[in-house]
Structure formats: C-alpha cells, structure tokens
C-alpha cells in the first residue's frame, strides 16, 4: 500500500486508523472503557498484524455516544443497547428516505 492509498483511506469513516491509546485519549476515557464496549459487543475493533486494537471514526462516534450515556448514570450494558437501537433507527430512516426519493422519482406526483 502506498502513502497515497493510506491517506485516501483516512477519509473512510470505517478505516481503522486509531490505536486504542489514541482513541481513549480522543474520547477522554480509559482503555478499559473501550475494552468494556468491545466485551459488550457495541464495537469490535480490527486488529493490527501485531494484535493491537485499531478503531475507526465510526466506532469512535459510537463509543462517544455510549460514554455520554454512561456519564449520565446509565449502566454500560444499557448504554450499549441504547446506542445500538439509535444506530439501527438512523439506518432505517436513511433507507426509508432513499426509498421515498426513488418512489417519487419513478412516480411523479400529480399537480
């Protein structure tokens, strides 16, 4: 992989660009918190060839939302479930909007 390939992938929100230490620092949390999110199956970081956890921007966004809920007093297991449901709802709304646009494009409304 060339340097250009690597820099191009940094725009990809699913590219695992961040080490566990850097991810924890960016979120203002501990590495243990990130491990707990993995144990709760909220996020599953990719592993480097050396076995180190690597996180994507998307995973950091999910972890940040979980941290907000935990900071408000929500147990971590419940916070993870809430975040999963929020993410599923967002995806369903995105798909519905796509289907709606496609239907409107194929079936113009009468004026």
């Amino acid at each position: 992989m060339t340097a250009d390939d690597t820099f191009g992938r940094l725009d990809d929100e699913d590219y695992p660009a961040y080490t566990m230490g850097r991810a924890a620092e960016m979120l203002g949390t501990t590495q243990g918190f990130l491990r707990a999110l993995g144990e709760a199956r909220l996020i599953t970081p990719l592993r480097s060839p050396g076995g180190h956890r690597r996180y994507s921007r998307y995973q950091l966004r999910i972890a940040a939302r979980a941290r907000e809920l935990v900071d408000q007093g929500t147990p971590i297991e419940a916070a993870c479930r809430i975040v999963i449901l929020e993410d599923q709802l967002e995806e369903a709304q995105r798909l519905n909007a796509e289907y709606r646009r496609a239907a409107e494009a194929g079936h113009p409304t009468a004026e």
Side-chain angles (χ1 to χ4, degrees):
M1 181 179 296
T2 66
D4 288 338
D5 292 338
T6 300
F7 289 127
R9 295 187 75 188
L10 292 177
D11 289 338
D12 179 359
E13 74 171 11
D14 293 318
Y15 180 68
Y18 304 98
T19 64
M20 177 181 267
R22 180 69 179 128
E25 180 183 314
M26 290 170 66
L27 295 172
T29 189
T30 65
Q31 293 180 17
F33 179 77
L34 292 173
R35 280 191 289 277
L37 295 181
E39 290 169 10
R41 297 185 185 164
L42 179 62
I43 55 176
T44 304
L46 291 177
R47 297 285 183 146
S48 71
H52 301 283
R53 291 173 178 90
R54 305 285 295 193
Y55 296 88
S56 68
R57 288 186 314 190
Y58 172 75
Q59 290 172 323
L60 294 183
R61 233 182 7 263
I62 295 291
R65 177 62 181 134
R67 179 168 182 230
E68 285 176 21
L69 292 167
V70 169
D71 286 350
Q72 294 170 5
T74 306
I76 195 164
E77 297 81 12
C80 290
R81 184 66 182 141
I82 290 167
V83 172
I84 289 167
L85 291 170
E86 288 175 343
D87 196 50
Q88 289 172 343
L89 176 60
E90 183 180 324
E91 178 66 9
Q93 289 172 331
R94 186 190 63 75
L95 287 172
N96 282 340
E98 280 182 27
Y99 293 145
R100 195 171 295 116
R101 282 190 297 275
E104 290 170 357
H107 301 55
T109 58
E111 293 182 7

